[in-house]
Amino acid sequence: MAATLSFSALSYRWGDEAPVSNILLNGCSIPVRENLHQFLQHARDAGWYMNLWIDAVCINQDDKAEKAQQIGIMGTVYSLASNVLIWLG
């Protein structure tokens, strides 16, 4: 039996269109919107260290085919999550 990865999925309000901040993930700079940046800062400051699935980070936002495919399975992703976190900002 394959081991499964425990993760939490984040549901959040996207906010303004323009990414206003960059985060560093595995050595890569990724632009994110302000509301997500605020959540990540809050989670870090609160000492929340967990595996997170965040659509804006886990789905290549520049690849329309990938986005379409991933949007189709988001319900499954959320149902497989150990927890679903909601951030309204």
Side-chain angles (χ1 to χ4, degrees), residues 5-69:
L5 176 66
S6 177
F7 69 95
S8 295
L10 177 65
S11 178
Y12 64 101
R13 184 183 60 81
W14 272 53
D16 294 334
E17 287 281 327
V20 295
S21 299
N22 287 306
I23 61 170
L24 191 61
L25 181 65
N26 295 329
C28 297
S29 181
I30 299 173
V32 296
R33 295 179 182 186
E34 184 60 29
N35 199 39
L36 176 54
H37 190 254
Q38 289 173 359
F39 167 80
L40 293 169
Q41 286 181 317
H42 175 79
R44 180 196 61 205
D45 294 347
W48 296 355
Y49 296 98
M50 63 185 86
N51 295 314
L52 286 173
W53 184 88
I54 303 170
D55 59 354
V57 176
C58 296
I59 299 172
N60 181 352
Q61 299 300 308
D62 295 327
D63 185 330
K64 289 182 182 183
E66 179 180 339
K67 279 175 59 174
Q69 189 269 337

